[in-house]
Protein backbone atom coordinates (compact mmCIF):
# COMPACT_ATOMS: atom_id res chain seq x y z
CA UNK A 1 0.00 0.00 0.00
CA UNK A 2 1.35 3.41 -0.98
CA UNK A 3 1.99 5.88 1.85
CA UNK A 4 2.10 9.69 1.67
CA UNK A 5 5.62 10.98 1.29
CA UNK A 6 5.56 12.86 4.61
CA UNK A 7 4.81 9.61 6.43
CA UNK A 8 7.55 7.74 4.56
CA UNK A 9 10.08 10.47 5.39
CA UNK A 10 8.90 10.60 9.02
CA UNK A 11 9.32 6.83 9.39
CA UNK A 12 12.84 7.00 7.94
CA UNK A 13 13.83 9.86 10.23
CA UNK A 14 12.17 8.13 13.17
CA UNK A 15 14.50 5.16 12.72
CA UNK A 16 17.47 7.50 12.27
CA UNK A 17 16.79 9.29 15.56
CA UNK A 18 15.94 6.08 17.41
CA UNK A 19 19.64 5.19 17.34
CA UNK A 20 21.67 5.76 20.52
CA UNK A 21 21.95 9.54 21.07
CA UNK A 22 25.72 9.60 20.67
CA UNK A 23 25.33 8.20 17.16
CA UNK A 24 23.36 11.20 15.92
CA UNK A 25 23.04 14.35 18.06
CA UNK A 26 26.54 15.59 18.80
CA UNK A 27 28.11 16.84 22.00
CA UNK A 28 31.63 17.57 23.24
CA UNK A 29 33.32 17.85 26.61
CA UNK A 30 35.90 20.62 26.24
CA UNK A 31 35.08 24.31 26.79
CA UNK A 32 35.65 26.74 23.92
CA UNK A 33 37.63 29.88 24.63
CA UNK A 34 35.86 32.28 22.26
CA UNK A 35 37.79 35.26 23.62
CA UNK A 36 41.09 34.00 22.21
CA UNK A 37 39.93 33.18 18.67
CA UNK A 38 42.16 34.60 15.92
CA UNK A 39 39.27 34.81 13.48
CA UNK A 40 37.22 32.63 11.18
CA UNK A 41 40.13 30.40 10.14
CA UNK A 42 40.87 29.62 13.79
CA UNK A 43 37.20 28.81 14.46
CA UNK A 44 37.03 26.50 11.42
CA UNK A 45 40.15 24.66 12.55
CA UNK A 46 38.77 24.33 16.08
CA UNK A 47 35.49 22.91 14.72
CA UNK A 48 37.42 20.45 12.57
CA UNK A 49 39.30 19.28 15.64
CA UNK A 50 36.05 18.94 17.58
CA UNK A 51 34.51 16.74 14.89
CA UNK A 52 37.60 14.60 14.49
CA UNK A 53 38.73 14.20 18.11
CA UNK A 54 36.20 15.19 20.73
CA UNK A 55 32.73 15.17 19.25
CA UNK A 56 30.21 12.41 19.89
CA UNK A 57 27.47 12.09 17.27
CA UNK A 58 27.10 12.87 13.59
CA UNK A 59 26.71 16.68 13.80
CA UNK A 60 26.66 19.61 16.22
CA UNK A 61 23.84 22.14 16.48
CA UNK A 62 24.24 25.83 17.49
CA UNK A 63 22.72 24.86 20.86
CA UNK A 64 25.66 22.52 21.51
CA UNK A 65 28.40 24.53 19.78
CA UNK A 66 27.59 27.76 21.61
CA UNK A 67 26.31 26.44 24.90
CA UNK A 68 24.99 28.01 27.01
CA UNK A 69 25.01 31.38 25.23
CA UNK A 70 22.87 30.50 22.20
CA UNK A 71 20.09 29.12 24.40
CA UNK A 72 20.37 32.03 26.82
CA UNK A 73 19.37 34.40 24.02
CA UNK A 74 16.01 32.65 23.73
CA UNK A 75 15.53 32.86 27.50
CA UNK A 76 16.12 36.60 27.08
CA UNK A 77 13.49 36.63 24.34
CA UNK A 78 10.95 35.02 26.68
CA UNK A 79 11.73 37.57 29.39
CA UNK A 80 11.50 40.50 26.99
CA UNK A 81 8.16 39.36 25.63
CA UNK A 82 6.78 38.95 29.14
CA UNK A 83 8.19 42.21 30.49
CA UNK A 84 4.74 43.85 30.48
CA UNK A 85 2.94 40.72 31.66
CA UNK A 86 4.97 39.57 34.65
CA UNK A 87 3.51 42.17 37.05
CA UNK A 88 -0.01 40.78 36.62
CA UNK A 89 -1.19 38.97 39.72
CA UNK A 90 -1.46 35.21 39.22
CA UNK A 91 0.12 35.33 35.75
CA UNK A 92 1.27 31.89 34.54
CA UNK A 93 2.71 30.65 31.28
CA UNK A 94 4.11 27.48 29.69
CA UNK A 95 7.08 26.66 27.46
CA UNK A 96 6.98 23.77 25.00
CA UNK A 97 10.16 22.73 23.18
CA UNK A 98 9.63 20.49 20.17
CA UNK A 99 12.64 18.28 19.49
CA UNK A 100 14.68 18.69 22.65
CA UNK A 101 17.96 17.17 21.49
CA UNK A 102 20.16 16.23 24.44
CA UNK A 103 18.27 18.51 26.86
CA UNK A 104 21.04 21.12 26.67
CA UNK A 105 18.72 23.88 25.47
CA UNK A 106 16.10 23.33 28.17
CA UNK A 107 18.73 23.33 30.91
CA UNK A 108 20.28 26.59 29.69
CA UNK A 109 16.96 28.40 29.22
CA UNK A 110 15.63 27.38 32.64
CA UNK A 111 18.89 28.27 34.38
CA UNK A 112 19.00 31.68 32.69
CA UNK A 113 15.43 32.44 33.71
CA UNK A 114 16.02 31.23 37.27
CA UNK A 115 19.23 33.24 37.70
CA UNK A 116 18.32 36.49 35.96
CA UNK A 117 14.52 36.60 35.91
CA UNK A 118 13.40 34.79 39.09
CA UNK A 119 9.92 36.32 39.02
CA UNK A 120 9.35 34.99 35.50
CA UNK A 121 10.83 31.62 36.45
CA UNK A 122 8.28 31.37 39.28
CA UNK A 123 5.44 32.21 36.88
CA UNK A 124 6.47 29.36 34.57
CA UNK A 125 4.09 26.44 35.11
CA UNK A 126 5.76 23.80 32.96
CA UNK A 127 8.62 23.39 30.52
CA UNK A 128 7.57 20.44 28.33
CA UNK A 129 9.92 18.70 25.90
CA UNK A 130 8.17 16.89 23.06
CA UNK A 131 10.30 14.36 21.17
CA UNK A 132 9.64 11.42 18.87
CA UNK A 133 12.92 9.62 19.64
CA UNK A 134 12.71 7.09 22.50
CA UNK A 135 16.49 7.23 23.00
CA UNK A 136 16.63 11.04 23.16
CA UNK A 137 13.50 11.07 25.35
CA UNK A 138 15.26 8.89 27.92
CA UNK A 139 18.47 10.91 27.68
CA UNK A 140 16.57 14.16 28.29
CA UNK A 141 15.02 12.73 31.43
CA UNK A 142 18.36 11.44 32.73
CA UNK A 143 20.13 14.73 32.10
CA UNK A 144 17.47 17.12 33.31
CA UNK A 145 15.74 15.42 36.21
CA UNK A 146 19.03 15.29 38.11
CA UNK A 147 19.32 19.09 37.84
CA UNK A 148 17.59 21.84 39.75
CA UNK A 149 14.52 22.27 37.54
CA UNK A 150 12.73 18.97 38.07
CA UNK A 151 9.49 20.53 39.34
CA UNK A 152 9.12 22.57 36.14
CA UNK A 153 9.86 19.81 33.64
CA UNK A 154 7.58 17.48 31.73
CA UNK A 155 8.50 15.03 28.97
CA UNK A 156 6.25 13.89 26.14
CA UNK A 157 7.12 11.11 23.68
CA UNK A 158 5.10 11.64 20.51
CA UNK A 159 5.58 11.91 16.77
CA UNK A 160 4.80 15.36 15.34
CA UNK A 161 3.57 13.68 12.16
CA UNK A 162 0.78 12.17 14.26
CA UNK A 163 0.08 15.63 15.66
CA UNK A 164 -0.04 17.15 12.17
CA UNK A 165 -2.44 14.45 10.97
CA UNK A 166 -4.68 14.87 14.08
CA UNK A 167 -3.93 11.33 15.27
CA UNK A 168 -2.66 12.65 18.61
CA UNK A 169 -2.63 16.00 20.39
CA UNK A 170 0.33 18.24 21.13
CA UNK A 171 -1.33 19.69 24.23
CA UNK A 172 -3.40 17.82 26.82
CA UNK A 173 -6.18 20.42 26.70
CA UNK A 174 -7.38 23.55 24.95
CA UNK A 175 -6.77 26.68 26.99
CA UNK A 176 -5.75 30.31 26.75
CA UNK A 177 -2.61 29.90 28.87
CA UNK A 178 0.18 31.97 27.28
CA UNK A 179 2.61 29.50 25.76
CA UNK A 180 6.03 29.75 24.14
CA UNK A 181 6.55 27.04 21.51
CA UNK A 182 10.20 26.59 20.56
CA UNK A 183 11.91 24.58 17.83
CA UNK A 184 15.63 24.66 17.01
CA UNK A 185 16.76 22.80 13.88
CA UNK A 186 13.41 21.07 13.99
CA UNK A 187 11.81 22.10 10.69
CA UNK A 188 14.64 20.55 8.66
CA UNK A 189 13.87 17.05 9.97
CA UNK A 190 10.08 17.08 9.79
CA UNK A 191 8.24 15.10 7.12
CA UNK A 192 7.49 16.92 3.86
CA UNK A 193 5.17 16.21 0.97
CA UNK A 194 5.92 16.74 -2.71
CA UNK A 195 3.17 18.40 -4.76
CA UNK A 196 2.87 19.24 -8.46
CA UNK A 197 0.29 20.20 -11.07
CA UNK A 198 -0.19 17.66 -13.81
CA UNK A 199 1.00 19.32 -17.04
CA UNK A 200 -1.91 17.80 -18.98
CA UNK A 201 -4.91 17.95 -16.61
CA UNK A 202 -3.59 20.86 -14.48
CA UNK A 203 -4.88 19.01 -11.43
CA UNK A 204 -2.88 18.85 -8.20
CA UNK A 205 -1.00 15.64 -7.48
CA UNK A 206 1.06 14.52 -4.49
CA UNK A 207 3.83 11.98 -4.24
CA UNK A 208 3.56 8.65 -2.42
CA UNK A 209 5.95 5.74 -1.97
CA UNK A 210 4.49 2.39 -2.98
CA UNK A 211 5.14 -1.03 -1.44
CA UNK A 212 8.01 -1.58 -3.88
CA UNK A 213 9.77 1.56 -2.69
CA UNK A 214 9.01 3.58 -5.82
CA UNK A 215 7.82 7.19 -5.89
CA UNK A 216 4.48 7.66 -7.62
CA UNK A 217 2.18 10.65 -8.09
CA UNK A 218 -1.56 10.46 -7.55
CA UNK A 219 -4.35 13.04 -7.65
CA UNK A 220 -4.72 15.02 -4.43
CA UNK A 221 -8.14 13.87 -3.25
CA UNK A 222 -8.56 12.71 0.35
CA UNK A 223 -5.53 14.33 2.00
CA UNK A 224 -7.21 16.85 4.30
CA UNK A 225 -3.96 18.23 5.70
CA UNK A 226 -2.45 19.05 2.31
CA UNK A 227 -5.73 20.55 1.10
CA UNK A 228 -5.89 22.88 4.10
CA UNK A 229 -2.30 23.98 3.54
CA UNK A 230 -2.86 24.69 -0.15
CA UNK A 231 -5.99 26.71 0.60
CA UNK A 232 -3.94 29.00 2.84
CA UNK A 233 -0.85 29.12 0.58
CA UNK A 234 -1.70 28.21 -3.04
CA UNK A 235 1.93 28.68 -4.11
CA UNK A 236 2.76 25.46 -2.25
CA UNK A 237 1.08 23.84 -5.24
CA UNK A 238 4.17 24.57 -7.31
CA UNK A 239 4.41 25.51 -10.94
CA UNK A 240 2.97 23.50 -13.80
CA UNK A 241 4.81 20.19 -13.94
CA UNK A 242 7.47 21.31 -11.43
CA UNK A 243 7.09 19.63 -8.04
CA UNK A 244 7.69 21.49 -4.80
CA UNK A 245 8.41 20.11 -1.35
CA UNK A 246 5.78 21.26 1.16
CA UNK A 247 6.51 21.38 4.94
CA UNK A 248 3.21 19.67 5.65
CA UNK A 249 4.07 18.34 9.10
CA UNK A 250 5.29 21.75 10.27
CA UNK A 251 2.12 23.37 8.91
CA UNK A 252 -0.08 20.74 10.56
CA UNK A 253 1.64 21.31 13.91
CA UNK A 254 1.12 25.07 13.57
CA UNK A 255 -2.58 24.46 12.95
CA UNK A 256 -2.70 22.38 16.14
CA UNK A 257 -0.96 25.14 18.12
CA UNK A 258 -3.49 27.68 16.90
CA UNK A 259 -6.37 25.36 17.76
CA UNK A 260 -5.24 24.36 21.25
CA UNK A 261 -3.11 27.32 22.42
CA UNK A 262 -4.28 30.39 20.49
CA UNK A 263 -2.24 32.77 22.66
CA UNK A 264 1.17 31.46 21.72
CA UNK A 265 4.58 32.86 20.96
CA UNK A 266 6.34 30.65 18.40
CA UNK A 267 10.10 30.65 17.76
CA UNK A 268 11.52 28.43 15.00
CA UNK A 269 15.21 28.67 14.07
CA UNK A 270 16.50 26.69 11.12
CA UNK A 271 18.31 26.53 7.78
CA UNK A 272 17.03 28.83 5.04
CA UNK A 273 19.52 27.36 2.55
CA UNK A 274 21.43 24.11 2.20
CA UNK A 275 24.23 23.41 -0.30
CA UNK A 276 23.77 20.82 -3.03
CA UNK A 277 24.99 17.30 -2.23
CA UNK A 278 28.71 16.64 -2.48
CA UNK A 279 28.60 13.66 -4.81
CA UNK A 280 31.68 11.51 -5.28
CA UNK A 281 29.91 9.59 -8.00
CA UNK A 282 26.82 10.09 -10.12
CA UNK A 283 24.48 7.86 -8.15
CA UNK A 284 21.45 8.88 -10.19
CA UNK A 285 17.95 9.68 -8.98
CA UNK A 286 15.02 7.38 -8.24
CA UNK A 287 12.63 10.26 -7.52
CA UNK A 288 11.49 13.42 -9.28
CA UNK A 289 13.45 16.53 -8.32
CA UNK A 290 11.43 19.15 -6.44
CA UNK A 291 12.05 22.73 -5.35
CA UNK A 292 13.33 22.63 -1.77
CA UNK A 293 15.10 19.31 -2.26
CA UNK A 294 16.56 17.83 0.95
CA UNK A 295 20.21 17.15 1.61
CA UNK A 296 20.53 13.41 2.26
CA UNK A 297 23.59 12.11 4.12
CA UNK A 298 24.34 8.60 5.32
CA UNK A 299 25.80 7.66 8.71
CA UNK A 300 29.18 7.42 6.94
CA UNK A 301 28.94 11.05 5.84
CA UNK A 302 28.22 10.23 2.18
CA UNK A 303 25.78 12.52 0.35
CA UNK A 304 23.14 11.10 -1.98
CA UNK A 305 21.26 12.81 -4.76
CA UNK A 306 17.95 11.24 -3.83
CA UNK A 307 16.24 10.10 -0.62
CA UNK A 308 15.27 6.83 -2.29
CA UNK A 309 18.87 6.03 -3.25
CA UNK A 310 20.38 6.47 0.21
CA UNK A 311 20.68 3.82 2.93
CA UNK A 312 17.70 3.52 5.25
CA UNK A 313 19.55 5.20 8.14
CA UNK A 314 20.32 8.63 6.76
CA UNK A 315 19.80 12.26 7.71
CA UNK A 316 17.17 13.83 5.44
CA UNK A 317 17.61 17.56 5.90
CA UNK A 318 15.31 20.18 4.34
CA UNK A 319 15.92 23.89 3.84
CA UNK A 320 12.98 26.03 4.96
CA UNK A 321 11.32 28.55 2.66
CA UNK A 322 10.69 31.05 5.45
CA UNK A 323 8.77 33.46 3.21
CA UNK A 324 6.15 30.84 2.38
CA UNK A 325 6.03 29.51 5.92
CA UNK A 326 5.62 32.99 7.38
CA UNK A 327 2.75 33.62 4.96
CA UNK A 328 1.14 30.40 6.16
CA UNK A 329 1.56 31.61 9.76
CA UNK A 330 -0.01 34.97 8.94
CA UNK A 331 -3.05 33.12 7.58
CA UNK A 332 -3.15 30.74 10.53
CA UNK A 333 -2.51 33.31 13.29
CA UNK A 334 -4.53 36.23 11.98
CA UNK A 335 -4.10 38.47 15.04
CA UNK A 336 -0.40 37.87 15.61
CA UNK A 337 2.77 39.51 14.38
CA UNK A 338 4.87 37.25 12.16
CA UNK A 339 8.52 38.10 11.52
CA UNK A 340 11.51 36.53 9.78
CA UNK A 341 14.98 37.57 10.96
CA UNK A 342 18.37 36.27 9.94
CA UNK A 343 19.69 34.31 12.90
CA UNK A 344 22.75 36.52 13.45
CA UNK A 345 20.60 39.64 13.54
CA UNK A 346 18.15 38.03 15.95
CA UNK A 347 20.92 36.97 18.33
CA UNK A 348 22.55 40.42 18.22
CA UNK A 349 19.31 42.26 18.90
CA UNK A 350 17.90 40.00 21.61
CA UNK A 351 21.10 38.83 23.33
CA UNK A 352 23.94 41.37 23.00
CA UNK A 353 25.51 40.14 26.25
CA UNK A 354 25.60 36.56 24.93
CA UNK A 355 27.08 37.71 21.62
CA UNK A 356 29.76 39.62 23.54
CA UNK A 357 30.57 36.46 25.51
CA UNK A 358 31.31 34.63 22.23
CA UNK A 359 33.32 37.48 20.67
CA UNK A 360 37.10 37.37 20.39
CA UNK A 361 38.97 40.07 22.29
CA UNK A 362 41.69 39.81 19.66
CA UNK A 363 39.73 40.21 16.43
CA UNK A 364 36.10 40.99 17.32
CA UNK A 365 35.01 37.79 15.58
CA UNK A 366 31.95 36.00 17.00
CA UNK A 367 31.27 32.55 15.51
CA UNK A 368 27.77 32.58 17.01
CA UNK A 369 27.00 35.50 14.69
CA UNK A 370 29.27 34.76 11.74
CA UNK A 371 28.77 30.99 11.48
CA UNK A 372 25.43 29.47 10.43
CA UNK A 373 24.78 32.38 8.06
CA UNK A 374 22.30 30.15 6.27
CA UNK A 375 19.86 30.21 9.21
CA UNK A 376 16.81 32.34 9.96
CA UNK A 377 14.43 32.73 12.88
CA UNK A 378 10.65 32.80 12.47
CA UNK A 379 8.70 34.39 15.32
CA UNK A 380 4.96 34.60 15.88
CA UNK A 381 3.84 36.80 18.77
CA UNK A 382 0.40 37.88 20.03
CA UNK A 383 -0.31 41.37 18.75
CA UNK A 384 -1.89 42.68 21.95
CA UNK A 385 1.38 42.18 23.84
CA UNK A 386 3.24 44.43 21.40
CA UNK A 387 0.59 47.10 21.80
CA UNK A 388 0.64 47.00 25.58
Amino acid sequence: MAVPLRRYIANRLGDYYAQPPNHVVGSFSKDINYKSLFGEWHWKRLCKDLYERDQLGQWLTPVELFRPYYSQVFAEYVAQQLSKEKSKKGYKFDIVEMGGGRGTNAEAILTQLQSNFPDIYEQLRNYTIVDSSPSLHELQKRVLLDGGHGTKLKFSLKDLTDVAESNTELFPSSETTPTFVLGFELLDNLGHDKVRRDPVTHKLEHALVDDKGAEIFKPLSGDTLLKNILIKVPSYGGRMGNPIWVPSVACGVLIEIKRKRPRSWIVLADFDYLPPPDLDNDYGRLSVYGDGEPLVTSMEGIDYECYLKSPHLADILYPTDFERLSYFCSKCFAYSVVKITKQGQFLSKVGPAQVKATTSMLTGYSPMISDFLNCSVLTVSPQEVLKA
Side-chain angles (χ1 to χ4, degrees):
M1 180 178 178
V3 297
L5 197 44
R6 65 174 177 270
R7 177 58 68 177
Y8 175 84
I9 297 293
N11 291 341
R12 288 271 305 269
L13 287 170
D15 291 342
Y16 174 73
Y17 278 101
Q19 299 179 88
N22 287 342
H23 287 192
V24 181
V25 183
S27 66
F28 57 93
S29 58
K30 66 193 298 185
D31 292 330
I32 297 175
N33 186 355
Y34 302 101
K35 295 294 185 181
S36 64
L37 289 174
F38 287 105
E40 183 178 7
W41 69 269
H42 190 189
W43 170 248
K44 297 296 184 186
R45 190 178 75 178
L46 189 150
C47 285
K48 185 174 184 291
D49 288 344
L50 281 178
Y51 271 92
E52 291 179 353
R53 301 177 187 176
D54 192 56
Q55 195 257 146
L56 297 173
Q58 195 174 21
W59 37 256
L60 289 164
T61 65
V63 166
E64 297 292 341
L65 269 175
F66 308 117
R67 66 174 193 252
Y69 305 110
Y70 180 87
S71 301
Q72 287 177 356
V73 174
F74 295 95
E76 295 286 329
Y77 177 80
V78 171
Q80 291 170 19
Q81 294 296 303
L82 294 181
S83 61
K84 295 183 176 69
E85 302 281 307
K86 64 183 181 182
S87 60
K88 295 180 180 179
K89 186 177 180 179
Y91 188 85
K92 296 291 182 181
F93 73 101
D94 290 338
I95 298 177
V96 175
E97 183 181 354
M98 302 182 296
R102 305 181 68 89
T104 305
N105 189 62
E107 172 68 25
I109 287 177
L110 286 167
T111 299
Q112 182 75 353
L113 290 177
Q114 185 182 48
S115 300
N116 296 283
F117 309 98
D119 50 350
I120 290 178
Y121 182 82
E122 288 302 315
Q123 291 170 330
L124 174 62
R125 292 196 315 177
N126 300 302
Y127 190 116
T128 303
I129 299 180
V130 179
D131 213 298
S132 62
S133 166
S135 57
L136 288 172
H137 177 72
E138 291 302 318
L139 175 65
Q140 291 154 9
K141 289 192 289 186
R142 288 199 307 272
V143 168
L144 293 167
L145 289 179
D146 289 338
H149 308 294
T151 58
K152 298 288 186 182
L153 286 158
K154 290 188 175 182
F155 304 89
S156 178
L157 180 63
K158 60 182 62 177
D159 189 339
L160 291 179
T161 306
D162 290 330
V163 172
E165 294 177 341
S166 299
N167 296 323
T168 190
E169 295 184 330
L170 183 60
F171 304 100
S173 61
S174 297
E175 52 185 273
T176 58
T177 301
T179 303
F180 286 81
V181 182
L182 312 177
F184 304 99
E185 294 201 10
L186 168 83
L187 298 173
D188 54 36
N189 277 149
L190 292 180
H192 284 52
D193 280 293
K194 194 188 297 184
V195 176
R196 72 179 184 186
R197 289 190 179 275
D198 184 275
V200 177
T201 66
H202 296 183
K203 291 183 178 180
L204 284 169
E205 298 180 325
H206 66 129
L208 302 94
V209 176
D210 65 19
D211 53 7
K212 296 180 180 179
E215 182 181 275
I216 58 175
F217 280 86
K218 288 192 174 182
L220 181 62
S221 54
D223 196 313
T224 304
L225 174 58
L226 266 178
K227 284 184 174 181
N228 287 340
I229 294 169
L230 291 168
I231 288 171
K232 288 181 170 63
V233 186
S235 65
Y236 272 139
R239 295 166 295 173
M240 200 67 64
N242 293 323
I244 183 172
W245 286 93
V246 180
S248 46
V249 172
C251 290
V253 170
L254 288 165
I255 291 170
E256 169 73 358
I257 294 169
K258 172 61 176 176
R259 185 173 70 89
K260 300 297 286 290
R261 294 291 174 95
R263 196 156 181 267
S264 286
W265 287 259
I266 300 170
V267 182
L268 300 170
D270 224 304
F271 298 106
D272 52 38
Y273 165 81
L274 289 170
D278 182 8
L279 301 174
D280 292 333
N281 297 291
D282 184 11
Y283 295 104
R285 298 188 62 88
L286 294 177
S287 65
V288 179
Y289 180 88
D291 291 344
E293 194 73 15
L295 181 62
V296 184
T297 306
S298 71
M299 294 297 298
E300 292 73 32
I302 299 172
D303 288 352
Y304 288 82
E305 192 174 1
C306 168
Y307 71 95
L308 285 177
K309 203 69 183 285
S310 69
H312 183 75
L313 292 178
D315 191 10
I316 303 173
L317 194 70
Y318 291 89
T320 295
D321 184 336
F322 278 92
E323 291 292 338
R324 277 198 177 98
L325 189 60
S326 68
Y327 186 70
F328 177 86
C329 288
S330 68
K331 292 290 187 179
C332 198
F333 299 87
Y335 298 101
S336 295
V337 175
V338 181
K339 292 183 179 180
I340 309 166
T341 313
K342 290 297 290 186
Q343 181 167 273
Q345 295 172 354
F346 182 93
L347 298 173
S348 296
K349 181 179 180 180
V350 177
Q354 285 72 35
V355 171
K356 184 178 180 180
T358 62
T359 299
S360 170
M361 295 178 64
L362 303 173
T363 63
Y365 176 78
S366 169
M368 193 166 78
I369 296 300
S370 301
D371 207 350
F372 292 92
L373 293 176
N374 57 333
C375 289
S376 291
V377 180
L378 172 68
T379 56
V380 180
S381 54
Q383 199 166 31
E384 66 269 20
V385 172
L386 301 182
K387 291 180 176 179

